[in-house]
Amino acid sequence: AQIRLPPEGRTTVAITILIVDDHELIRQGLRRAFEREGDFEVVGEAGNAAEANKLLGLLTPTVVVFDVRLPDGSGIEAAGQARAPLPALGIVILTMYAGDEQLFEALEAGASAFVPKNAPADDVVAAARHAASSPHSFTANDLAEAMKRRMSPSGPALSAHFRSRRTGSSASSPS
């Protein structure tokens, strides 16, 4: 776990960020992406869910960025556990496995945003901005398409006309 002190001379109110990822290289890259922006301040970093939980209580950041897979559990589960005691917390889920299942799990856990790790750094920054301003609304680049996939039946279906022909009944006659 790492706690960072604010830069000297900062006069603007910053969006404070806690980064939770088990890969130091990812944490460094995210920190740099946030530091390039004038209104973000990375206040801490954690390599697992237990460290993140401790730092959330100490630092009360505006936004936490969780990797989905952590050595001691799921970032999505950690997000869900953080949501109740910190209702104003913005939560961004970052993942290598950007499938529909993870997207909907993040939504159900109370996350504010879902971003694949192969997205540009600007997408993660935009997601954190969204999470800071609207922690209880959810955004993901593929959300509309994921909803369509979830709502549509899997595989082809017969129309009412062809179903009635197979059963020998008329589509207009009551069953």
Side-chain angles (χ1 to χ4, degrees):
Q2 186 176 3
I3 297 175
R4 302 179 64 83
L5 298 174
E8 288 188 43
R10 179 182 286 276
T11 58
T12 60
V13 175
I15 298 170
T16 56
I17 305 286
L18 172 62
I19 300 170
V20 184
D21 194 295
D22 56 326
H23 296 99
E24 184 179 357
L25 186 62
I26 298 293
R27 292 194 310 265
Q28 288 176 3
L30 288 171
R31 182 177 354 100
R32 286 192 183 101
F34 286 120
E35 288 174 350
R36 279 195 309 259
E37 304 293 319
D39 56 341
F40 285 96
E41 179 184 331
V42 176
V43 294
E45 298 177 23
N48 60 53
E51 288 177 356
N53 193 35
K54 289 177 191 171
L55 290 178
L56 280 169
L58 288 171
L59 303 173
T60 58
T62 312
V63 175
V64 61
V65 178
F66 279 111
D67 183 15
V68 167
R69 294 196 183 187
L70 297 169
D72 59 346
S74 161
I76 293 174
E77 288 176 14
Q81 292 167 356
R83 173 55 68 214
L86 301 167
L89 179 67
I91 300 171
V92 176
I93 301 295
L94 190 63
T95 181
M96 289 286 293
Y97 313 97
D100 290 355
E101 183 178 331
Q102 291 83 11
L103 185 149
F104 288 115
E105 286 175 2
L107 172 64
E108 291 166 5
S112 313
F114 183 84
V115 183
K117 280 188 176 176
N118 64 356
D122 288 346
D123 286 5
V124 180
V125 170
R129 236 182 258 294
H130 163 83
S133 65
S134 302
H136 295 282
S137 70
F138 184 79
T139 186
N141 283 344
D142 194 32
L143 182 58
E145 290 302 314
M147 292 295 292
K148 286 179 188 175
R149 288 188 293 271
R150 186 177 227 191
M151 300 305 289
S152 68
S154 58
L158 295 174
S159 67
H161 172 74
F162 286 107
R163 275 196 309 268
S164 66
R165 291 185 73 197
R166 285 187 64 190
T167 61
S169 63
S170 165
S172 60
S173 66
S175 304

